[in-house]
């Protein structure tokens, strides 16, 4: 068993988008978000999907349903792929290269977003 497999098996497995979003509140790392300000729009297509946005400001995280009028970065993928990413079963960069995940707006913010949450 390699290091990635061990890490993945230790991660909780999420079954729905609301479960993933709820976990963000618990896994959020306020220290990592110090000085970070932006809005991440999630457009999740297909069964179980929806539109959500996360406001990150002064070490805080606020999650809302709907579409933000001026997001810093917009991520579009299927709800199924977002679950795979959060369950450690898919790599966002690989999905981007396959055209299954689209990021528009601030790429640095998209990269920073990943580091704002504890894994496992």
């Amino acid at each position: 068993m390699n290091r990635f497999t061990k890490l993945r098996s230790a991660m909780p497995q999420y079954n729905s988008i609301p479960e993933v979003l709820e976990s963000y509140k618990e896994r959020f790392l306020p220290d990592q978000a110090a000085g970070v300000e932006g809005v991440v729009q999630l457009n999740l297509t297909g069964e179980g999907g929806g539109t959500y946005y996360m406001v990150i400001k002064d070490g805080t995280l606020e999650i809302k349903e709907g579409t933000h009028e001026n997001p810093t970065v917009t991520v579009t993928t299927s709800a199924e792929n977002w679950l795979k990413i959060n369950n450690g079963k898919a790599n966002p960069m690989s999905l981007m290269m396959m055209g299954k995940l689209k990021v528009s707006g601030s790429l640095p913010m998209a990269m920073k977003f990943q580091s704002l949450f504890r894994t496992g």
Side-chain angles (χ1 to χ4, degrees):
M1 187 184 299
N2 67 29
R3 198 176 83 109
F4 179 72
T5 307
K6 278 187 202 171
L7 178 66
R8 190 174 67 203
S9 64
M11 291 177 73
Q13 295 298 291
Y14 305 106
N15 298 308
S16 69
I17 296 304
E19 233 180 88
V20 169
L21 295 174
E22 192 60 35
S23 82
Y24 286 164
K25 296 174 190 172
E26 299 160 19
R27 296 187 296 140
F28 184 66
L29 299 168
D31 293 350
Q32 292 280 54
V36 176
E37 196 171 312
V39 176
V40 177
Q41 175 73 49
L42 286 179
N43 296 332
L44 304 175
T45 62
E47 189 177 335
T51 54
Y52 306 90
Y53 63 93
M54 290 165 273
V55 179
I56 299 150
K57 185 177 183 178
D58 299 326
T60 64
L61 171 70
E62 188 179 9
I63 302 171
K64 298 200 179 256
E65 195 165 349
T67 303
H68 191 275
E69 61 188 40
N70 191 21
T72 311
V73 63
T74 300
V75 178
T76 304
T77 191
S78 69
E80 179 185 5
N81 283 335
W82 198 249
L83 283 171
K84 285 179 183 177
I85 291 167
N86 282 277
N87 286 327
K89 295 181 177 172
N91 178 305
M93 293 307 267
S94 297
L95 290 174
M96 280 179 72
M97 288 189 284
M98 292 187 287
K100 294 182 176 185
L101 184 144
K102 293 182 175 45
V103 176
S104 60
S106 170
L107 219 44
M109 182 63 183
M111 301 302 281
K112 181 69 178 167
F113 177 74
Q114 293 180 323
S115 70
L116 300 180
F117 299 93
R118 192 177 65 250
T119 55

